[in-house]
Amino acid sequence: MTRIGTLASGRGSNFNALVDAWKKGSIPGAEFVVLISDKPGTGALDVARGFGVETVTLSPKDFPSREAQEEAVIAALRDRKVDLVCLAGYMRILGPKFIGAFPGRILNIHPALLPSFPGLHGQKQAVEYGVKVSGATVHFVDAGCDTGPVIIQAAIPVLDDDSEETLAARILKEEHRIYPEAVRLFCRGRLKVSGRHVRITPE
Ligand code: GRF
């Protein structure tokens, strides 16, 4: 059984897609045990409550430093014996302590085709740059910002009249498809990482 802890700061639509897929039986061998938010009152917390997943709020405001908040998140995950950490719109860069606590066991979803448009507002960056194709990426998290080995990508065309919002809406549909699939593959032990390359082994 892979015990999954999810970190989120926002509306929680990716978390919803993950737990929905799990509840429907599409992520066998997984258990979503906790949703941790760094902000009170986020949509992701409501999603978790709706599914009966435990919620924890650890706001940096309640800690003396950024490091102390991060240590509390690590402790909360360890207390629940979490094997896999899924970032789902978690708006904080993880420090080396966090990465070291869960080596090769942190996933993230990003709304662009990495290594293009890392960081914030990947969809806005794509529209402003004028690319013809963008999409979504699920990747392992390393110490950089959106730099870890790529697991799955989905590409979609950028239309001439796309705004940040219209593009983001189409990318989001792909996010909701590929993130549960990547978690399913992880839980099945089908992701083999060597250096930057992630190979998906046959069933
Ligand atoms: C998504 O666009 C995701 O790619 C990015 O943050 C956003 C989170 O949205 N990392 P939601 O909270 O899952 O709806």
Side-chain angles (χ1 to χ4, degrees):
M1 187 63 73
T2 304
R3 294 173 64 80
I4 302 174
T6 310
L7 309 190
S9 308
R11 69 193 156 176
S13 75
N14 275 286
F15 177 62
N16 186 82
L18 289 170
V19 180
D20 187 52
W22 169 55
K23 293 272 181 184
K24 287 179 174 151
S26 304
I27 315 183
E31 190 173 358
F32 284 82
V33 294
V34 66
L35 181 281
I36 301 179
S37 174
D38 60 337
K39 282 188 200 144
T42 59
L45 290 164
D46 292 334
V47 172
R49 287 185 199 111
F51 279 111
V53 173
E54 186 195 359
T55 61
V56 174
T57 303
L58 295 168
S59 167
K61 286 190 204 121
D62 299 328
F63 293 88
S65 65
R66 192 186 153 276
E67 289 73 25
Q69 185 265 355
E70 190 172 280
E71 273 168 29
V73 176
I74 295 170
L77 292 166
R78 282 198 170 134
D79 284 352
R80 290 160 183 81
K81 303 197 179 345
V82 161
D83 307 298
L84 173 67
V85 181
C86 289
L87 307 184
Y90 190 60
M91 303 306 284
R92 319 190 72 78
I93 306 266
L94 304 179
K97 243 191 193 164
F98 198 113
I99 310 288
F102 299 95
R105 291 185 289 132
I106 310 171
L107 307 186
N108 183 42
I109 178 89
H110 183 76
L113 292 177
L114 293 172
S116 292
F117 314 128
L120 292 176
H121 311 302
Q123 307 95 328
K124 182 164 183 258
Q125 292 184 59
V127 169
E128 284 177 356
Y129 195 94
V131 291
K132 303 296 186 189
V133 176
S134 191
T137 303
V138 184
H139 62 96
F140 282 102
V141 174
D142 65 10
C145 177
D146 300 325
T147 52
V150 170
I151 301 168
I152 304 182
Q153 294 187 301
I156 59 154
V158 180
L159 308 177
D160 288 345
D161 58 357
D162 259 333
S163 62
E164 177 187 356
E165 290 74 26
T166 58
L167 180 62
R170 293 204 315 286
I171 289 176
L172 196 62
K173 279 194 186 154
E174 299 301 315
E175 296 181 36
H176 294 167
R177 187 173 63 78
I178 65 174
Y179 207 2
E181 174 62 6
V183 174
R184 185 182 77 83
L185 292 168
F186 183 98
C187 294
R188 295 294 255 189
R190 291 182 56 198
L191 302 180
K192 296 286 171 252
V193 187
S194 103
R196 287 213 51 83
H197 298 100
V198 181
R199 291 202 170 72
I200 298 174
T201 60
E203 195 81 69

